Amino acid sequence: MRLPVHWTPHSVLVRPFLGVGGAGPIYGPQHTLQHVYVEDAREVVLDSDGTEVVSSTRFFCNFDDAPAEKSLVTVWVGTPFEREAPAVRVARYQHPHWPGFAEVRLK
């Protein structure tokens, strides 16, 4: 089951994190992730290393569409608020009677 389109009016750009090489992080080609819900919400969260970071944006997407942690995500594309930030936490939620979804926290 997927999230209803009328709940997810936004799009983001994602450069997926592929790993680390000799020159630093390696990212895949940028793609558009449609049907997400974006909101700016500042909260302290734990990243994948257990370090506290301030997350200033989060978005919700379908369970299977969630980018990997450390991927670079551009939100509010084409607006004065456009910015790129790394995904610091990805949480997935699934329920047998509701659509599965993911919450992605950006730095």
Side-chain angles (χ1 to χ4, degrees):
M1 221 183 315
R2 296 182 63 80
L3 293 171
V5 173
H6 63 276
W7 287 1
T8 53
H10 305 121
S11 296
V12 297
L13 300 176
V14 177
R15 290 196 302 156
F17 178 74
L18 301 178
V20 178
I26 301 170
Y27 299 99
Q30 187 176 63
H31 67 276
T32 301
L33 180 56
Q34 297 181 332
H35 306 299
V36 304
Y37 176 74
V38 179
E39 63 181 26
D40 289 334
R42 293 180 63 95
E43 288 188 51
V44 175
V45 298
L46 296 178
D47 68 9
S48 58
D49 299 324
T51 304
E52 286 186 350
V53 296
V54 176
S55 168
S56 56
T57 302
R58 67 181 176 174
F59 71 88
F60 300 90
C61 63
N62 287 299
F63 188 89
D64 296 330
D65 297 338
E69 289 179 350
K70 301 181 184 174
S71 294
L72 295 177
V73 179
T74 304
V75 295
W76 306 122
V77 178
T79 73
F81 306 107
E82 181 175 326
R83 69 183 192 89
E84 182 180 68
V88 293
R89 189 180 82 184
V90 178
R92 289 181 172 84
Y93 305 94
Q94 193 166 28
H95 186 278
H97 305 294
W98 287 83
F101 68 95
E103 176 190 31
V104 181
R105 293 288 187 150
L106 307 178
K107 192 168 186 178

